[in-house]
Amino acid sequence: MVGKITRAYERELKDGDVKMTSPKFGMSILFFFLCISFCSSTDQSFQQCFSSHLPPSKITYDVIFTQNSSQYSSILQSSIRNLRFSNASKPRYLVTPYNENHIQATIICSKEHHMHVRVRSAGHDYEGLSYISDVPFIVIDLFHIRISAKSNVHGFPAGSCPTVGVGGHISGGGFGTIFRKYGLAADNVIDAKMIDVNGNVLDRKSMGEDLFWAIRGGGGASFGVIFSWKLKLVRVPPTVTVFKTLKTLEQGATKLVQKWQNIAYKFHHDLFVHAVIQVTNPNSNQNPTVQVSFDCLFLGTTERLLSSIQRSFPELGVTQENCTEMSWIQSVLYFAGHSIAESADVLLNRGTQSTQSFKGKSDYVKEAIPKMGLEGLFKMVAEEETSMFILTPYGGRMKQIKSSATPFPYRSEYIYGIQYMISWDVAEETGKRIGWMRRLYKYMEPYVSTAPRAAYFNYRDLDLGRNSYPNTSYVEASQWGLKYFNHNFNRLVRVKTLADPHNFFWNEQSIPVLRLE
């Protein structure tokens, strides 16, 4: 029948002025027309399913967006933070729920229509897994669900990038400038609400302690859709202090990093000093060089900070003139790159879009890297002017929490973590830049943790391994799972098997389901 229609279409072209008579052309035009009809019918079917699973009072008409919707592209692009994936496969539908009923209906109807679900909180998944897929899928974008209460005397130990979504940040662990005193974001969760694979609303009591354990560091997207967190806020002092000290290699940065490795994790838990390694061009008459920025947040006054830092790390040369006192919420603005004179409302601006592609990786360090290793690292850094590495000190409260308390395992044995990053503007540079990052990662192998070589789940890295579709074996998934979760991976697999036995919430690095071989 298709052949007859195609030949008839070719005869029409021959009888007219158009001379394109290729069977492939005719078939592609036919498929286009058939797809329009089929896709339109499917869209109506999905939307009807969606509405049928909502209470009448919850039905709205600006929740589901198809690829033909006028707002589809702007919503999809709004949270793509890595341009490397801007031209990847696109979801069949974007669902922007206002409440849990919309999430329930989406999960139920996605199962009925045999489509995968990806959940996007703010699009910071380093490998784009919250908004791309190789199979038919739907994106649930949670940007409308932003309910919160606030306090002038409390803070929360979370990260410093303001456009990171709370859902992924907390469910993957979540560290920031005050985690040495208060632990990870995931360590300070009291309760959570999520929609499971059957469309049920679960809280801590109804989900049980095993599932509650799993979503606090094991990644929420493997188990359901988390739409609410109840958090334990922490008391912050009325005054905190920050400073930034910049040193190039010519100014002795190598020796400073050597010492930083041995003391930063031992500092009092009120003191956080991380090291940021980048390439800088001092002036037009000199070649680029490596620069290290030592950035500090101290939970207290300048006087107390100077007393501590001048005693433990005098080589930094910090003086009162380097220090700025502010409130804790102003320090959040400061580390996010905003003026502390701005309103904190600027942190709610979700519209900041990336203009670059990037690749990230991570490591954890148990013993200080020797001078020779640092020199080799700095030599490689100097090759790529858009590279950046952040060295984050552990210790403090992180040493006091058991490695099995949450799925995030990297606690007392580790002195600092490393985030590697490289960015680029031109798509043609992708292979070169990623190739350089992989060579650097190989170079660092002798100096970082082993058995397994640890990695941070929130810095997702598909180089570590990926799941086969539609399922994967435990052995296959353990290639990446043990790196993220170490000994906690086995428990995560058991929880996943009970919570989502048919592996509906699958992605390239979702927790696998145990199956009888």
Side-chain angles (χ1 to χ4, degrees), residues 307-321:
S307 174
S308 175
I309 201 73
Q310 290 175 351
R311 181 175 63 253
S312 58
F313 204 0
E315 294 88 344
L316 276 185
V318 179
T319 66
Q320 187 166 353
E321 288 69 31

Side-chain angles (χ1 to χ4, degrees), residues 208-280:
E209 288 302 305
D210 279 345
L211 184 51
F212 182 64
W213 172 86
I215 64 174
R216 292 177 296 130
S222 289
F223 306 98
V225 181
I226 303 167
F227 64 92
S228 176
W229 298 97
K230 185 177 182 180
L231 307 174
K232 179 178 68 178
L233 300 182
V234 299
R235 280 203 167 269
V236 291
T239 300
V240 304
T241 305
V242 303
F243 73 71
K244 177 191 291 286
T245 298
L246 305 175
K247 300 291 183 181
T248 64
L249 295 184
E250 294 74 16
Q251 295 169 330
T254 303
K255 287 185 178 180
L256 292 175
V257 174
Q258 277 186 276
K259 180 161 185 179
W260 176 93
Q261 292 184 100
N262 289 295
I263 63 172
Y265 73 101
K266 299 176 183 177
F267 285 153
H268 188 276
H269 54 224
D270 284 345
L271 179 58
F272 171 87
V273 181
H274 74 187
V276 181
I277 303 170
Q278 291 179 284
V279 177
T280 185

